[in-house]
Amino acid sequence: MEIVEECRSSGKRMLLFSQFTEMLGLIGRELGYRGVPYFYLDGQTPAAERVELCSRFNEGERELFLASLKAGGTGLNLTGADTVILYDLWWNPAVEQQAEDRAYRIGQKNVVQVIRLVAQGTVEEKMYVLQQRKKDLIDQVVRPGEEALSALTEQEVRESLAI
């Protein structure tokens, strides 16, 4: 709530993603208590309504959009946002990247800030470390103009894949 209030007071427009619709419900309830209007989208939101919600958000009707990570992570244009908040992490960093990309679509004129909430000593911290290892492995393996695996030793591949 502190992040949302700080963003609102500085005129930021936010996308807040969670992989759990129950968590989005709790967040939405608290926002309601505080009188903060928002749009909401999850897997149950009909396709036509999704487009309408995105258009209304991009036109500036509200400054906050809550979305489930999977439902809101693909096919939506939410360039009205300049802040993306990832409330909880997903094991696959590509899913989070897709969610971030909702704000980075063609037509985005602002710098987009991405905030990941990761508490020290939690499962999320371990997931974040795993995500970074996956990203590092991909960066090491996929290099334009180079042979795919020649840059890595067998030990480096084993370490990158270790949990």
Side-chain angles (χ1 to χ4, degrees):
M1 288 302 131
E2 289 175 22
I3 293 170
V4 169
E5 287 304 321
E6 184 179 314
C7 288
R8 289 183 74 219
S9 67
S10 61
K12 301 288 184 188
R13 305 198 63 243
M14 300 156 279
L15 303 177
L16 191 151
F17 290 99
S18 174
Q19 62 178 309
F20 302 107
T21 55
E22 294 86 4
M23 190 70 237
L24 290 172
L26 292 171
I27 293 168
R29 188 168 42 240
E30 183 63 28
L31 291 168
Y33 293 147
R34 295 172 183 235
V36 177
Y38 61 90
F39 289 114
Y40 178 88
L41 183 147
D42 66 17
Q44 302 302 311
T45 307
E49 188 178 335
R50 292 176 189 216
V51 173
E52 173 70 18
L53 292 172
C54 291
S55 294
R56 291 170 59 195
F57 177 78
N58 288 334
E59 291 167 5
E61 185 176 322
R62 296 180 184 155
E63 56 199 5
L64 180 57
F65 201 118
L66 304 183
S68 68
L69 194 58
K70 295 293 277 192
T74 56
L76 302 177
N77 181 342
L78 292 163
T79 55
D82 55 17
T83 304
V84 176
I85 302 168
L86 297 169
Y87 186 84
D88 40 48
L89 302 180
W90 187 259
W91 65 273
N92 182 349
V95 172
E96 290 180 5
Q97 184 64 53
Q98 287 178 332
E100 291 174 32
D101 288 347
R102 298 313 93 208
Y104 282 117
R105 307 287 278 193
I106 293 172
Q108 178 57 268
K109 294 175 178 31
N110 299 312
V111 173
V112 177
Q113 175 185 18
V114 178
I115 300 169
R116 281 181 178 77
L117 300 180
V118 181
Q120 208 170 14
T122 63
V123 171
E124 281 78 15
E125 182 181 37
K126 291 176 183 175
M127 286 178 64
Y128 183 72
V129 169
L130 179 60
Q131 284 182 342
Q132 296 312 302
R133 284 185 187 163
K134 283 180 155 187
K135 285 181 184 179
D136 290 345
L137 178 62
I138 289 167
D139 290 344
Q140 291 175 18
V141 171
V142 181
R143 291 185 180 164
E146 292 185 17
E147 290 187 32
L149 294 173
S150 63
L152 293 176
T153 66
E154 180 181 343
Q155 184 61 33
E156 288 172 325
V157 172
R158 289 181 183 278
E159 288 173 6
S160 293
L161 296 174
I163 296 178

